[in-house]
Amino acid sequence: MEPGAELMWASEGDAVLATLRVLREPDNRRIGRVATAPDARGRGIAADLMREAIEVLDAEAPGIPILLDAQAHLASWYARFGFVVSGPPFAEDGIPHVPMRRTRLATDRLVLREWTRSDDDRAFLFDMYSRIEVRRYLSGGQVMTERDEVDALLERWQGLSDGILGVRAAETTGGRRLGSVLLKRIPWSAGAGAGRPERIEIGWHFHPDAWGAGYATEAAAALLTLARDHGIRGVIAVTDPANTASAAVAERIGLRPAGETGDFYDTTCTLYLSDDEGC
């Protein structure tokens, strides 16, 4: 047994019908070794075990990613439980596999989860990022014009996922999509980062239909608390100096303005620091 490992199984009399293994890693949880006896297949037993394992891990470590390595032909089965492909395919014992990841962080009104490549998620992202009022202060105001741009965006976001870092979908507990919330390494401007420690940025992009209800504040506050609970200190936010709405969110979650800076994104931003800022 590896440290932190736990086995779960379903049995009928003395017969074990299905099993899986849970591993507890420093920055993640992991599910593996999912197996069902041949004569017990088709009864939904492995699905019941998966739901039970996810429920245990979500309650034990809210917001911490659950990882697994899926046989490639079973990726759609794991997607039923909220897992998304999180990296390039690989072979294990000659069998094609894909890494997959699932996160879930709940607040009173919201659920923060992984973005998927489902038609509904992709349609929402295109609708949100094709609006000038959303993009006005992002990417130089350039809006999305082609739906393929969503796939490229999701590909970039996939590369940002590392432990609790990544880009999450924010939706209501009823499943209405609202926007994106980010906790990630921030890129330095050219020549600005030499010899300096990496910085972790928190950010939020919300659909105009979700503005004015406090959703961005609620989502960002939950993510900031998660970061602090897991040892990430000195989280920062940057906004366009003209983006007063985003500035208000930064201050509502407890970040303090620290003037303008050209250190990030090769542009001039207003910088917001957390009280535990050490740099």
Side-chain angles (χ1 to χ4, degrees), residues 125-154:
L125 287 169
F126 180 74
D127 179 39
M128 182 169 72
Y129 288 121
S130 65
R131 293 171 178 261
I132 186 59
E133 59 266 46
V134 173
R135 284 287 202 171
R136 180 178 295 116
Y137 303 116
L138 302 171
S139 304
Q142 184 176 358
V143 300
M144 282 189 177
T145 58
E146 302 291 337
R147 292 185 181 275
D148 288 350
E149 294 177 73
V150 174
D151 296 321
L153 180 68
L154 290 169

Short mmCIF file of all heavy atoms in Angstrom, two decimals, residues 125-154:
data_model
loop_
_atom_site.label_atom_id
_atom_site.label_comp_id
_atom_site.label_asym_id
_atom_site.label_seq_id
_atom_site.Cartn_x
_atom_site.Cartn_y
_atom_site.Cartn_z
N LEU A 125 -18.70 30.00 -23.99
CA LEU A 125 -17.44 30.73 -24.05
C LEU A 125 -17.36 31.60 -25.30
O LEU A 125 -16.90 32.74 -25.25
CB LEU A 125 -16.27 29.75 -24.00
CG LEU A 125 -16.01 29.12 -22.63
CD1 LEU A 125 -15.02 27.97 -22.74
CD2 LEU A 125 -15.52 30.16 -21.62
N PHE A 126 -17.83 31.08 -26.42
CA PHE A 126 -17.82 31.89 -27.63
C PHE A 126 -18.73 33.10 -27.48
O PHE A 126 -18.37 34.22 -27.84
CB PHE A 126 -18.25 31.05 -28.84
CG PHE A 126 -18.25 31.84 -30.11
CD1 PHE A 126 -17.06 32.18 -30.73
CD2 PHE A 126 -19.44 32.27 -30.67
CE1 PHE A 126 -17.05 32.93 -31.90
CE2 PHE A 126 -19.45 33.03 -31.84
CZ PHE A 126 -18.25 33.36 -32.46
N ASP A 127 -19.91 32.88 -26.93
CA ASP A 127 -20.84 33.99 -26.73
C ASP A 127 -20.22 35.05 -25.81
O ASP A 127 -20.29 36.26 -26.11
CB ASP A 127 -22.14 33.47 -26.13
CG ASP A 127 -23.16 34.57 -25.86
OD1 ASP A 127 -23.27 35.50 -26.69
OD2 ASP A 127 -23.83 34.52 -24.82
N MET A 128 -19.59 34.62 -24.71
CA MET A 128 -19.03 35.58 -23.77
C MET A 128 -17.86 36.36 -24.38
O MET A 128 -17.81 37.60 -24.30
CB MET A 128 -18.58 34.86 -22.49
CG MET A 128 -18.03 35.81 -21.43
SD MET A 128 -17.79 35.05 -19.81
CE MET A 128 -16.35 34.02 -20.12
N TYR A 129 -16.92 35.64 -24.99
CA TYR A 129 -15.71 36.31 -25.47
C TYR A 129 -15.87 36.95 -26.85
O TYR A 129 -14.93 37.58 -27.34
CB TYR A 129 -14.54 35.32 -25.46
CG TYR A 129 -14.06 34.99 -24.07
CD1 TYR A 129 -14.06 33.68 -23.60
CD2 TYR A 129 -13.61 35.99 -23.21
CE1 TYR A 129 -13.62 33.37 -22.32
CE2 TYR A 129 -13.16 35.69 -21.93
CZ TYR A 129 -13.18 34.38 -21.49
OH TYR A 129 -12.74 34.08 -20.22
N SER A 130 -17.04 36.80 -27.46
CA SER A 130 -17.31 37.53 -28.70
C SER A 130 -17.96 38.89 -28.43
O SER A 130 -18.25 39.64 -29.37
CB SER A 130 -18.22 36.71 -29.61
OG SER A 130 -19.50 36.52 -29.03
N ARG A 131 -18.16 39.21 -27.16
CA ARG A 131 -18.81 40.47 -26.79
C ARG A 131 -17.76 41.53 -26.46
O ARG A 131 -16.89 41.32 -25.62
CB ARG A 131 -19.72 40.25 -25.57
CG ARG A 131 -20.92 39.35 -25.88
CD ARG A 131 -21.67 38.99 -24.62
NE ARG A 131 -22.83 38.17 -24.91
CZ ARG A 131 -24.08 38.62 -24.99
NH1 ARG A 131 -24.33 39.91 -24.78
NH2 ARG A 131 -25.08 37.81 -25.27
N ILE A 132 -17.90 42.69 -27.06
CA ILE A 132 -16.94 43.76 -26.85
C ILE A 132 -16.93 44.23 -25.40
O ILE A 132 -15.90 44.61 -24.86
CB ILE A 132 -17.20 44.95 -27.81
CG1 ILE A 132 -16.08 45.99 -27.68
CG2 ILE A 132 -18.56 45.57 -27.55
CD1 ILE A 132 -14.70 45.47 -27.97
N GLU A 133 -18.10 44.18 -24.73
CA GLU A 133 -18.12 44.65 -23.34
C GLU A 133 -17.31 43.74 -22.42
O GLU A 133 -16.86 44.17 -21.35
CB GLU A 133 -19.56 44.80 -22.85
CG GLU A 133 -20.40 43.54 -22.87
CD GLU A 133 -21.22 43.40 -24.13
OE1 GLU A 133 -20.65 43.62 -25.23
OE2 GLU A 133 -22.42 43.05 -24.03
N VAL A 134 -17.12 42.48 -22.81
CA VAL A 134 -16.28 41.55 -22.04
C VAL A 134 -14.82 41.73 -22.42
O VAL A 134 -13.93 41.73 -21.56
CB VAL A 134 -16.72 40.09 -22.26
CG1 VAL A 134 -15.76 39.11 -21.60
CG2 VAL A 134 -18.13 39.88 -21.73
N ARG A 135 -14.55 41.88 -23.71
CA ARG A 135 -13.17 41.94 -24.21
C ARG A 135 -12.56 43.34 -24.18
O ARG A 135 -11.39 43.51 -24.50
CB ARG A 135 -13.14 41.43 -25.65
CG ARG A 135 -13.23 39.93 -25.77
CD ARG A 135 -11.94 39.24 -25.34
NE ARG A 135 -11.83 37.92 -25.92
CZ ARG A 135 -10.75 37.16 -25.86
NH1 ARG A 135 -9.69 37.60 -25.24
NH2 ARG A 135 -10.74 35.97 -26.39
N ARG A 136 -13.36 44.33 -23.81
CA ARG A 136 -12.87 45.70 -23.89
C ARG A 136 -11.52 45.87 -23.20
O ARG A 136 -10.64 46.58 -23.69
CB ARG A 136 -13.89 46.66 -23.26
CG ARG A 136 -13.47 48.13 -23.29
CD ARG A 136 -14.52 49.03 -22.70
NE ARG A 136 -15.74 49.02 -23.50
CZ ARG A 136 -16.92 48.58 -23.07
NH1 ARG A 136 -17.05 48.10 -21.84
NH2 ARG A 136 -17.97 48.62 -23.86
N TYR A 137 -11.35 45.22 -22.05
CA TYR A 137 -10.11 45.38 -21.29
C TYR A 137 -9.23 44.14 -21.34
O TYR A 137 -8.30 44.00 -20.56
CB TYR A 137 -10.45 45.70 -19.84
CG TYR A 137 -11.32 46.94 -19.69
CD1 TYR A 137 -12.61 46.85 -19.17
CD2 TYR A 137 -10.86 48.18 -20.09
CE1 TYR A 137 -13.41 47.98 -19.03
CE2 TYR A 137 -11.65 49.32 -19.96
CZ TYR A 137 -12.92 49.21 -19.44
OH TYR A 137 -13.71 50.34 -19.31
N LEU A 138 -9.53 43.21 -22.26
CA LEU A 138 -8.76 41.98 -22.42
C LEU A 138 -8.25 41.88 -23.84
O LEU A 138 -8.96 42.23 -24.78
CB LEU A 138 -9.63 40.75 -22.11
CG LEU A 138 -10.27 40.66 -20.73
CD1 LEU A 138 -11.25 39.49 -20.71
CD2 LEU A 138 -9.22 40.49 -19.65
N SER A 139 -7.04 41.37 -24.00
CA SER A 139 -6.50 41.07 -25.33
C SER A 139 -6.61 42.27 -26.28
O SER A 139 -6.89 42.11 -27.47
CB SER A 139 -7.23 39.87 -25.94
OG SER A 139 -7.14 38.75 -25.09
N GLY A 140 -6.40 43.45 -25.73
CA GLY A 140 -6.45 44.64 -26.56
C GLY A 140 -7.81 44.92 -27.16
O GLY A 140 -7.92 45.64 -28.16
N GLY A 141 -8.86 44.35 -26.56
CA GLY A 141 -10.21 44.59 -27.05
C GLY A 141 -10.60 43.72 -28.22
O GLY A 141 -11.68 43.92 -28.79
N GLN A 142 -9.77 42.73 -28.56
CA GLN A 142 -10.06 41.86 -29.70
C GLN A 142 -11.07 40.79 -29.30
O GLN A 142 -10.83 39.99 -28.40
CB GLN A 142 -8.78 41.21 -30.21
CG GLN A 142 -8.97 40.36 -31.45
CD GLN A 142 -7.66 39.82 -31.97
OE1 GLN A 142 -6.60 40.10 -31.43
NE2 GLN A 142 -7.74 39.04 -33.03
N VAL A 143 -12.21 40.76 -29.97
CA VAL A 143 -13.26 39.79 -29.65
C VAL A 143 -13.07 38.52 -30.47
O VAL A 143 -12.40 38.52 -31.51
CB VAL A 143 -14.67 40.37 -29.91
CG1 VAL A 143 -14.90 41.60 -29.06
CG2 VAL A 143 -14.87 40.67 -31.39
N MET A 144 -13.66 37.43 -30.01
CA MET A 144 -13.67 36.20 -30.79
C MET A 144 -14.62 36.37 -31.98
O MET A 144 -15.71 36.93 -31.84
CB MET A 144 -14.14 35.02 -29.93
CG MET A 144 -13.11 34.47 -29.00
SD MET A 144 -13.70 32.92 -28.22
CE MET A 144 -12.24 32.48 -27.27
N THR A 145 -14.19 35.85 -33.12
CA THR A 145 -15.04 35.89 -34.31
C THR A 145 -15.28 34.50 -34.89
O THR A 145 -16.20 34.33 -35.70
CB THR A 145 -14.40 36.78 -35.39
OG1 THR A 145 -13.09 36.29 -35.71
CG2 THR A 145 -14.29 38.23 -34.90
N GLU A 146 -14.45 33.54 -34.53
CA GLU A 146 -14.58 32.18 -35.04
C GLU A 146 -14.69 31.20 -33.87
O GLU A 146 -13.95 31.32 -32.89
CB GLU A 146 -13.37 31.80 -35.90
CG GLU A 146 -13.13 32.72 -37.08
CD GLU A 146 -14.20 32.58 -38.14
OE1 GLU A 146 -14.86 31.51 -38.18
OE2 GLU A 146 -14.38 33.53 -38.94
N ARG A 147 -15.58 30.23 -34.00
CA ARG A 147 -15.77 29.27 -32.91
C ARG A 147 -14.54 28.41 -32.65
O ARG A 147 -14.36 27.92 -31.53
CB ARG A 147 -17.00 28.40 -33.19
CG ARG A 147 -18.30 29.18 -33.15
CD ARG A 147 -19.53 28.32 -33.31
NE ARG A 147 -20.74 29.12 -33.28
CZ ARG A 147 -21.37 29.48 -32.16
NH1 ARG A 147 -20.91 29.08 -30.99
NH2 ARG A 147 -22.46 30.23 -32.22
N ASP A 148 -13.68 28.25 -33.64
CA ASP A 148 -12.45 27.49 -33.42
C ASP A 148 -11.55 28.15 -32.39
O ASP A 148 -10.69 27.48 -31.79
CB ASP A 148 -11.68 27.34 -34.74
CG ASP A 148 -12.35 26.38 -35.71
OD1 ASP A 148 -13.31 25.69 -35.28
OD2 ASP A 148 -11.93 26.31 -36.88
N GLU A 149 -11.72 29.44 -32.17
CA GLU A 149 -10.91 30.15 -31.19
C GLU A 149 -11.17 29.61 -29.77
O GLU A 149 -10.31 29.69 -28.91
CB GLU A 149 -11.18 31.64 -31.24
CG GLU A 149 -10.75 32.31 -32.54
CD GLU A 149 -11.11 33.78 -32.57
OE1 GLU A 149 -10.45 34.56 -31.85
OE2 GLU A 149 -12.06 34.14 -33.29
N VAL A 150 -12.37 29.10 -29.54
CA VAL A 150 -12.68 28.53 -28.23
C VAL A 150 -11.81 27.31 -27.96
O VAL A 150 -11.29 27.13 -26.86
CB VAL A 150 -14.18 28.17 -28.12
CG1 VAL A 150 -14.46 27.44 -26.82
CG2 VAL A 150 -15.03 29.42 -28.23
N ASP A 151 -11.63 26.47 -28.99
CA ASP A 151 -10.81 25.27 -28.80
C ASP A 151 -9.37 25.65 -28.48
O ASP A 151 -8.73 25.03 -27.64
CB ASP A 151 -10.87 24.39 -30.06
CG ASP A 151 -12.27 23.87 -30.31
OD1 ASP A 151 -12.96 23.51 -29.34
OD2 ASP A 151 -12.69 23.83 -31.48
N ALA A 152 -8.85 26.66 -29.15
CA ALA A 152 -7.50 27.12 -28.87
C ALA A 152 -7.39 27.68 -27.45
O ALA A 152 -6.40 27.46 -26.75
CB ALA A 152 -7.08 28.18 -29.89
N LEU A 153 -8.43 28.39 -27.01
CA LEU A 153 -8.45 28.93 -25.66
C LEU A 153 -8.45 27.80 -24.63
O LEU A 153 -7.68 27.82 -23.65
CB LEU A 153 -9.68 29.81 -25.47
CG LEU A 153 -9.86 30.46 -24.09
CD1 LEU A 153 -8.78 31.49 -23.85
CD2 LEU A 153 -11.24 31.09 -23.97
N LEU A 154 -9.30 26.80 -24.83
CA LEU A 154 -9.35 25.67 -23.91
C LEU A 154 -8.02 24.93 -23.87
O LEU A 154 -7.60 24.43 -22.82
CB LEU A 154 -10.49 24.73 -24.29
CG LEU A 154 -11.90 25.27 -24.05
CD1 LEU A 154 -12.94 24.37 -24.72
CD2 LEU A 154 -12.19 25.39 -22.56
#
